[in-house]
Amino acid sequence: MRTPTRARKRLLLPFALIASAALLLTACGSGDPAADVAGAAGGSGSDAVPTADVVSGVRRNADAVRLLPPGTTELTLAVSVGGTPPGTTYLSDGRTLTGQDVDFAHAVAKALDIGLKTEQASFEAILPALDSGKYDVGASNFGVTEERRGTIDFVTYINDGQGFAAREDSGLSEVTDLRQLCGRKVATGAGTTFEATLEESRHLCTDAGDTAYTVQTYSEPGALWSSLQQGRSDVVMSTINGLRYAVAHQQGLKFLNEFHRLDVGFALKKGSALAPALRAAVNGLIADGSYARILKKWGTTESAIARSEISPPELRD
C-alpha cells in the first residue's frame, strides 16, 4: 500500500457537519450520528458511507473451520467506533455498524461458519480486555508493534500505518523527522501507536536545544479534527487511510505524507488457539477474491497484503 485509490465519488462536506456528527455520538463511543453526514448535507448516505454487500457471498472455508478450537460456535468481537470510513462507523439507521474492519470480521466469521457478537468499546480499552477474556477478538485498525506483540497476538489482514495532516495554510509540506514538529501542537488519538510514538520521541526536540512539541490526545475524532480546524492544534497524526478520507471530506485540510508503515491485524489474547483459523480464513478470502472486493469498497486497495501472518515482526522503514 502506498497511495489508496479513490475511484468512488468524493463528497466535500463542510467541516461543521462532520465534527458535530462525531460529537453527537459521544455516549455511544464517538461515531457518526443517526443521520449520516451525507444525509445531513442533503446527499445520499451511500455517498458518505459505502454500502455495497461484500460479505454475503463469502463461502464456508472447510480447511479454516477445521482449525477452530473444538466447540467454537461464536466469537465476541470488540470494535471502536471511529467516526468516519474506512474506520468503523454507522449506517444511516444510526445502529448498524459498518467499516473496513467490520467487513473483514464478518467475512472471516462467515468463512469459519460461526456467529459474531459485536460489542463497542473505547480503543484504549480493547487490548487489555482481551487478556481477561471479555472479548475474543479486537478489530480497530490495530497496528502490529513490537511492544504490543509482547502481550497480544495478531492475525494480519491489511497494511496501513502512520501519517500526518494539517491545515492548507500550514507551512508543513511533509514530516519526515519528528523534529520538524518541535514547538508545534500535535493532535492524535488516545491510546494509539501515534500517541506512543510522539511521547517516546519528544526528547528529540529538547536534545537538539529546541522546544518540545505538545501532544494533545482525543478519544473522539470530532474533537480531534475540531482542534485542527480551529487552530488549537497544528497537525494531526493518525492512520494513513483515515487521514486521506478525512482530508477528502473536509475543506481546508491537506494530507502531508506517510511516516511509518505498519501491518494491521485482528487482536487476540496472547497464545490464543483462534489465530491459525483466522489466518486461514483471511488467506482464503485473499485467494477467492473476497478480500479484494472489501478493499475496493473502502477505497483502500493499496492496503492489500499478499498473505496473512500471525504476529509478524513490526515493519521497519
Side-chain angles (χ1 to χ4, degrees), residues 160-216:
D160 195 350
Q162 304 173 335
F164 293 95
R167 293 184 303 279
E168 286 183 345
D169 61 4
S170 172
L172 289 169
S173 58
E174 64 176 0
V175 178
T176 57
D177 188 318
L178 293 181
R179 285 173 291 189
Q180 293 172 258
L181 301 176
C182 294
R184 300 178 188 267
K185 293 170 287 188
V186 186
T188 194
T192 62
T193 58
F194 319 115
E195 180 186 4
T197 296
L198 290 168
E199 291 291 357
E200 290 167 2
S201 303
R202 292 178 76 236
H203 69 90
L204 295 175
C205 294
T206 53
D207 288 351
D210 209 338
T211 302
Y213 51 76
T214 302
V215 182
Q216 301 171 310

Side-chain angles (χ1 to χ4, degrees), residues 64 78 85 154 177 204 220 257 265 273 296 306:
F154 293 92
D177 188 318
L204 295 175
E220 302 165 13
N257 62 292
K296 182 178 180 180

Side-chain angles (χ1 to χ4, degrees), residues 57 73 109 114 118-119 152-153 211 241 282:
T73 59
I114 56 176
T118 303
E119 297 187 7
I152 297 292
D153 275 342
T211 302
N241 286 337
V282 173

Side-chain angles (χ1 to χ4, degrees), residues 19-287:
S20 61
L23 291 172
L24 281 173
L25 262 284
T26 299
C28 297
S30 70
D32 286 347
D36 63 84
V37 292
S44 66
S46 61
D47 286 332
V49 182
T51 56
D53 178 6
V54 290
V55 174
S56 64
V58 173
R59 297 181 178 179
R60 183 178 187 272
N61 183 330
D63 291 335
V65 170
R66 281 192 286 270
L67 295 174
L68 279 172
T72 303
T73 59
E74 181 181 76
L75 297 180
T76 300
L77 170 75
V79 298
S80 173
V81 179
T84 57
T88 302
T89 185
Y90 294 96
L91 291 179
S92 58
D93 62 8
R95 298 183 302 275
T96 305
L97 291 172
T98 188
Q100 181 170 255
D101 295 323
V102 172
D103 275 349
F104 273 118
H106 280 277
V108 164
K110 201 163 191 305
L112 293 174
D113 197 21
I114 56 176
L116 194 65
K117 178 184 177 183
T118 303
E119 297 187 7
Q120 296 177 45
S122 63
F123 181 89
E124 58 269 30
I126 294 175
L127 297 185
L130 292 171
D131 190 57
S132 70
K134 182 176 182 179
Y135 310 121
D136 298 307
V137 184
S140 287
N141 208 77
F142 288 114
V144 181
T145 66
E146 290 306 310
E147 180 179 4
R148 286 175 173 171
R149 288 201 321 144
T151 56
I152 297 292
D153 275 342
F154 293 92
V155 175
T156 60
Y157 56 95
I158 59 168
N159 176 267
D160 195 350
Q162 304 173 335
F164 293 95
R167 293 184 303 279
E168 286 183 345
D169 61 4
S170 172
L172 289 169
S173 58
E174 64 176 0
V175 178
T176 57
D177 188 318
L178 293 181
R179 285 173 291 189
Q180 293 172 258
L181 301 176
C182 294
R184 300 178 188 267
K185 293 170 287 188
V186 186
T188 194
T192 62
T193 58
F194 319 115
E195 180 186 4
T197 296
L198 290 168
E199 291 291 357
E200 290 167 2
S201 303
R202 292 178 76 236
H203 69 90
L204 295 175
C205 294
T206 53
D207 288 351
D210 209 338
T211 302
Y213 51 76
T214 302
V215 182
Q216 301 171 310
T217 59
Y218 298 89
S219 296
E220 302 165 13
L224 183 153
W225 289 109
S226 176
S227 75
L228 182 64
Q229 289 278 9
Q230 297 174 10
R232 288 180 282 108
S233 60
D234 302 305
V235 62
V236 166
M237 186 179 191
S238 190
T239 66
I240 294 166
N241 286 337
L243 288 171
R244 289 187 183 279
Y245 185 93
V247 167
H249 288 72
Q250 296 185 42
Q251 296 178 1
L253 301 183
K254 62 182 178 181
F255 177 76
L256 298 182
N257 62 292
E258 299 180 5
F259 182 71
H260 176 50
R261 286 259 153 206
L262 286 173
D263 286 321
V264 171
F266 294 112
L268 306 164
K269 179 178 180 179
K270 191 68 178 177
S272 173
L274 293 168
L278 267 63
R279 177 181 57 183
V282 173
N283 284 328
L285 297 175
I286 293 172

